[in-house]
Amino acid sequence: MARDVVHDIIARGLQPGDGLPSEAAMLEQYGVSRESLREGLRLLEVQGLISIRRGPGGGPVVGTVDPSNLGRISTLYFHLAGATYSELFEAWVLAECVLVDRAARNPDRAARAAAMAPYLDGDGAHEEEELEKFVREHGGFHIAIASLARNRVLELAMQTMGRIVAHHVAVTDDPRVMHGLIADDHLKLARAILAGHANQARSLMEDHIQGIAKYSRERFGARMDDFIEWR
């Protein structure tokens, strides 16, 4: 049921925020029981792929493909597999280096310029800004890089590690103390990507992620050997 709904969302060209048919219409369309339909929709809602609006005029609404939701679910698999935070940070460094290498090699210079434009003026956020806004804006930089990778599987899957790390940093510490490191690194990376210097971008990204990982490891302390979870 969940698979068929996702298939029809794509087939109909629906966008985030668009409503899905009513329950009665979907029962007729798919020829399934009310229990099967609701279970399928519940599965999609848990994954963040749809949301259910309650009350009059409510119903299922198309959600977004958010790596954070995939990251949240992935932590259950990582935890059961016995994967630790040390392994997560190691994988995160590798993932971001792959993405930035592909971004800098994207042959469409106009696309590179458009994606990096917000980060080229060096006027980063200030430490006194709201935490949520800070995390969103700087997380957007890595989203922009992933969007240039020209591979939706890599774009989605490899962002999940950074989202898990960002979630933990945001709830256990205040990442705004890293403002100088983050803003300066993003500016250098944006320039390298715009110029198409893949090797330089990869080296800068490795140093950037290693710097954040070092900061985070110091605050995680003995928890680095704990199994990954979503707190």
Side-chain angles (χ1 to χ4, degrees), residues 24-36:
M26 295 178 80
L27 287 172
E28 181 177 353
Q29 176 183 351
Y30 296 111
V32 297
S33 69
R34 191 180 305 273
E35 291 75 15
S36 293

Side-chain angles (χ1 to χ4, degrees), residues 133-155:
K133 182 173 182 286
F134 178 88
V135 173
R136 181 175 65 252
E137 289 184 353
H138 290 289
F141 177 70
H142 292 272
I143 294 173
I145 289 175
S147 72
L148 294 171
R150 293 169 293 134
N151 184 303
R152 281 173 286 242
V153 174
L154 292 176
E155 178 182 351

Side-chain angles (χ1 to χ4, degrees), residues 107-134:
D108 188 342
R109 191 182 190 283
R112 299 201 313 271
M116 293 296 103
Y119 310 98
L120 288 169
D121 60 9
D123 184 20
H126 299 289
E127 291 186 19
E128 63 268 19
E129 73 177 315
E130 295 180 2
L131 175 60
E132 183 179 351
K133 182 173 182 286
F134 178 88

Side-chain angles (χ1 to χ4, degrees), residues 54-140:
R54 313 298 175 185
V61 176
V62 179
T64 58
V65 180
D66 187 347
S68 294
N69 291 326
L70 181 58
R72 174 173 48 83
I73 296 299
S74 296
T75 60
L76 300 176
Y77 288 86
F78 295 150
H79 192 108
L80 195 59
T84 66
Y85 288 105
S86 291
E87 293 173 290
L88 172 64
F89 279 96
E90 181 183 8
W92 182 38
V93 173
L94 295 173
E96 291 293 343
C97 286
V98 169
L99 289 174
V100 78
D101 183 273
R102 291 184 63 90
R105 295 181 191 277
N106 189 314
D108 188 342
R109 191 182 190 283
R112 299 201 313 271
M116 293 296 103
Y119 310 98
L120 288 169
D121 60 9
D123 184 20
H126 299 289
E127 291 186 19
E128 63 268 19
E129 73 177 315
E130 295 180 2
L131 175 60
E132 183 179 351
K133 182 173 182 286
F134 178 88
V135 173
R136 181 175 65 252
E137 289 184 353
H138 290 289

